[in-house]
Amino acid sequence: MKKIILSAIIALNTVIAGYAASNLNFGLRADGKCYVSSSPDASGDVVIPATAEIEGVAYPVSIIGPCAFIDNRNIVSLTIPDGIESVDAEAFYGCHNLASVRMEGGDCTFGQDAFRACPALQKVYVPSVEKWLSNVYSNEFSSPTSNYADLYIDGNLLSELSIPECCREIGNYAFKDVRSLQKATIGSHVTRIGDHAFDGDESLETITIADGVQTIGSFAFNICVGLRELTVPNSVTSIGAAMCYRCMSLEQVQLSRAVEEIPELAFCGCEKLKSIDFIHDLVTTIGGLAFYGCQLIETAILPESVKNIGRQAFGACTSLKEAAIPGADAQLDAYLFSNCSSLTSVVLPSGLKEIPSGLLYGCVNLGEIEIPKDVNYIGMGAFAMCYSLKEVELPESLEYIEQEAFYGCRLFRSLRFGANLKSIATYAFYQCPQLERVDCYAVEPPVISFFAFDLHADANCRILVPEVSEALYRETYGWRNFRNLEGSAALNPDTQLTMRLCDGGTMVRAVAYGAEITMRLTTADGKIPAKVLYNGEDITPTVIAGGGSYTTPPITSPVEITLSAD
């Protein structure tokens, strides 16, 4: 009995001596757990003890407290014993000279930025893969490997990884920035690969994923610059954003048939990816920047199943020559093919209603484009800097042309605006120096913003407008700047009624042209106006007799109809 007591005293004295030499401080939380508190004087080879004495009582140490060693530049190595449950936020933040960490256990939660800004930390030792995978990491700088470290398993450098049968998932940040890892095999017993699981593993060249994995998280293989091929088995139902972001050696991908969405940034910056043939006919969504900067892709012929394509999904694909989006009702986001400098052929969805901003911005080799017949809106910079675009047929449905929509389309010689056009925004056709003729069929002059056309057009371009509206064009801002504006009977509409309302809803002017037109001139609640003037003539009795209806005589010039409630 005495021998046992003596052994216990010796062990306790050893802990106290270690505590004194390393200058560690401890405290008790409200729940009675002992933690390492702020220890600014700790230095050298720091060994966190299994127990610590506080006021004569020995407590098991279970926590390394928040900011316990923050900005300590005197620590060179760290040993964390089995039994530590938590390394709290910023515990070793800024320990610039910390070179190695040895963990003797697992089941530890690492808080936010626990090992952030530890540039000398190059070696991490753990007893087993199972123990390592039992840890939980809170963010990208919480793991001791997050400074691009080598990971040693039971003293051996980890270059080839096989996930043990007992492990059902690879947690978030599990192998993030493990510099030594070259090959990984994930068996069918694993169901989930977590967010950032292999993020930053620059030496990883081969990864085998067995059928059985169901989910691959966001940034799972982010910046795995040595990875050349990836097969996502058919058991996988979802892949996370930026799954292969900046995998700059990735050449080939095989995608699970169960995946319906390629999320944002999924293959962004994969500059050696040669083809996107893996986009199968069950994929419905391609997220923003999904293939941005994939410089070797030459064709993007998408299946009809694709209904939504995000912002800049194929931006800066500088070898892309041909693209087609056959799904009639596909929705496109801004700058979809921006700066695809080799693009010469594009097929847009036939049911497209709006051309999004920057859709083909900077596609300098695009020589022609067919705008779908139902488009009523062309967004800002949609075709800007398309230097090789010689002409474009604007659909009759078009109503609005936004800023810089065709800026720099320097080969344009003629334009035709349909009868429904309402607005041309600033710089829409600026830097189009060869523009010679513009035909505008709108009876009511579209609103032209400042510098919609450049000074060359103002001075030299021939502008043809409906003959019936020539006088109206000549008094309208923007149009009156054109020196060569003229009315043409060929542009007169067969039948058209255009009304202009003020902000309060009162009709300011109505212009009609064509054959006899029957109009019903009543208020929204069916009341007949108190007074109606037709080109200044009072036709109120006729309108009242017709119950609010009035049939005009044949119209060959602009008509003004004025309604009054008084």
Side-chain angles (χ1 to χ4, degrees):
M1 184 67 178
K2 291 181 181 179
K3 290 183 179 179
I4 295 174
I5 293 173
L6 181 60
S7 298
I9 292 172
I10 292 172
L12 182 57
N13 285 338
T14 301
V15 170
I16 293 172
Y19 154 68
S22 298
N23 295 318
L24 302 182
N25 299 316
F26 299 89
L28 287 178
R29 298 197 322 186
D31 59 4
K33 290 186 176 182
C34 179
Y35 68 97
V36 182
S37 60
S38 179
S39 302
D41 297 326
S43 63
D45 300 317
V46 173
V47 178
I48 306 298
T51 60
E53 183 178 306
I54 299 176
E55 296 181 353
V57 180
Y59 294 90
V61 178
S62 56
I63 297 164
I64 301 176
C67 303
F69 301 93
I70 191 168
D71 291 331
N72 187 315
R73 302 195 176 207
N74 297 316
I75 300 175
V76 295
S77 73
L78 170 69
T79 299
I80 301 176
D82 191 10
I84 294 293
E85 302 172 1
S86 174
V87 177
D88 285 350
E90 302 184 3
F92 297 93
Y93 188 116
C95 291
H96 280 246
N97 293 310
L98 177 62
S100 67
V101 172
R102 183 177 298 274
M103 294 189 61
E104 297 178 344
D107 294 315
C108 181
T109 297
F110 291 85
Q112 297 274 332
D113 298 337
F115 287 93
R116 186 166 189 162
C118 297
L121 182 50
Q122 300 294 300
K123 295 182 179 182
V124 178
Y125 299 88
V126 296
S128 67
V129 173
E130 294 93 330
K131 289 287 188 181
W132 181 252
L133 286 173
S134 70
N135 297 322
V136 176
Y137 308 99
S138 301
N139 77 338
E140 58 182 323
F141 298 110
S142 61
S143 168
T145 66
S146 61
N147 298 275
Y148 294 100
D150 291 329
L151 184 62
Y152 291 82
I153 304 294
D154 193 23
N156 299 309
L157 182 67
L158 180 68
S159 60
E160 295 189 10
L161 169 69
S162 181
I163 303 300
E165 288 284 341
C166 61
C167 299
R168 294 292 177 261
E169 69 172 47
I170 302 172
N172 299 345
Y173 309 100
F175 295 97
K176 184 182 185 303
D177 295 336
V178 175
R179 185 175 57 188
S180 58
L181 186 60
Q182 299 175 12
K183 180 179 179 180
T185 301
I186 301 171
S188 59
H189 54 284
V190 176
T191 59
R192 174 181 176 267
I193 300 173
D195 297 344
H196 300 267
F198 296 91
D199 184 350
D201 293 354
E202 296 183 350
S203 299
L204 184 63
E205 296 181 356
T206 304
I207 185 161
T208 303
I209 306 173
D211 202 38
V213 174
Q214 298 172 11
T215 303
I216 300 177
S218 299
F219 294 90
F221 309 110
N222 176 45
I223 320 181
C224 291
V225 296
L227 190 63
R228 290 182 172 85
E229 297 182 10
L230 179 66
T231 297
V232 180
N234 287 331
S235 59
V236 174
T237 58
S238 67
I239 60 177
M243 179 182 71
C244 291
Y245 180 69
R246 292 184 65 193
C247 290
M248 292 182 285
S249 297
L250 188 65
E251 297 179 0
Q252 297 182 21
V253 174
Q254 183 175 332
L255 186 66
S256 165
R257 292 280 296 175
V259 170
E260 297 182 0
E261 178 180 357
I262 298 176
E264 62 182 0
L265 294 164
F267 299 96
C268 178
C270 295
E271 57 188 35
K272 291 188 178 180
L273 188 63
K274 298 176 180 178
S275 171
I276 58 169
D277 291 346
F278 57 85
I279 302 180
H280 52 72
D281 57 6
L282 297 178
V283 171
T284 61
T285 300
I286 298 175
L289 296 161
F291 297 96
Y292 184 90
C294 292
Q295 298 176 10
L296 296 185
I297 295 175
E298 294 187 358
T299 60
I301 311 300
L302 302 180
E304 292 189 11
S305 59
V306 175
K307 303 301 181 186
N308 295 283
I309 309 177
R311 186 182 182 93
Q312 291 184 283
F314 294 95
C317 291
T318 53
S319 295
L320 187 65
K321 298 176 181 177
E322 183 182 8
I325 308 169
D329 55 349
Q331 300 298 306
L332 314 182
D333 209 337
Y335 297 91
L336 180 56
F337 296 106
S338 61
N339 295 311
C340 291
S341 55
S342 299
L343 192 63
T344 59
S345 174
V346 180
V347 177
L348 300 177
S350 59
L352 196 64
K353 297 292 194 301
E354 297 185 357
I355 302 289
S357 296
L359 177 71
L360 293 157
Y361 177 93
C363 294
V364 295
N365 281 301
L366 184 67
E368 58 182 9
I369 182 70
E370 181 178 344
I371 298 178
K373 63 181 179 62
D374 294 327
V375 166
N376 56 38
Y377 174 92
I378 296 178
M380 183 174 66
F383 302 95
M385 317 304 283
C386 290
Y387 295 142
S388 300
L389 194 60
K390 296 180 180 179
E391 60 181 1
V392 63
E393 183 176 342
L394 301 174
E396 288 293 327
S397 55
L398 183 60
E399 297 181 8
Y400 301 98
I401 302 174
E402 289 294 351
Q403 296 179 31
E404 303 180 359
F406 295 92
Y407 183 99
C409 292
R410 56 195 183 192
L411 298 183
F412 278 1
R413 291 187 176 274
S414 64
L415 293 168
R416 181 191 181 280
F417 300 133
N420 294 303
L421 187 65
K422 293 180 172 60
S423 173
I424 304 174
T426 303
Y427 297 126
F429 295 94
Y430 205 73
Q431 292 296 311
C432 298
Q434 299 191 55
L435 196 59
E436 298 173 347
R437 174 169 171 167
V438 174
D439 292 0
C440 184
Y441 283 75
V443 172
E444 181 78 4
V447 174
I448 294 184
S449 297
F450 182 70
F451 279 140
F453 297 85
D454 56 26
L455 295 176
H456 163 82
D458 291 350
N460 302 307
C461 190
R462 186 184 181 198
I463 309 295
L464 298 180
V465 300
E467 184 180 52
V468 296
S469 301
E470 180 180 354
L472 196 56
Y473 272 83
R474 290 190 181 280
E475 67 182 40
T476 300
Y477 174 82
W479 294 100
R480 65 189 178 211
N481 295 337
F482 292 109
R483 297 180 187 177
N484 299 314
L485 186 144
E486 56 188 275
S488 170
L491 274 63
N492 286 341
D494 293 332
T495 301
Q496 181 163 332
L497 174 64
T498 302
M499 295 186 179
R500 179 182 293 176
L501 305 178
C502 70
D503 291 341
T506 303
M507 185 161 64
V508 177
R509 179 172 61 240
V511 179
Y513 177 82
E516 296 180 351
I517 299 174
T518 299
M519 296 175 286
R520 184 164 178 78
L521 305 172
T522 63
T523 60
D525 57 3
K527 294 181 181 179
I528 299 172
K531 190 173 184 179
V532 182
L533 299 179
Y534 181 88
N535 276 351
E537 179 185 351
D538 189 349
I539 59 168
T540 308
T542 305
V543 172
I544 293 175
S549 294
Y550 177 73
T551 301
T552 70
I555 299 172
T556 58
S557 60
V559 171
E560 291 195 5
I561 302 171
T562 305
L563 308 180
S564 175
D566 301 318

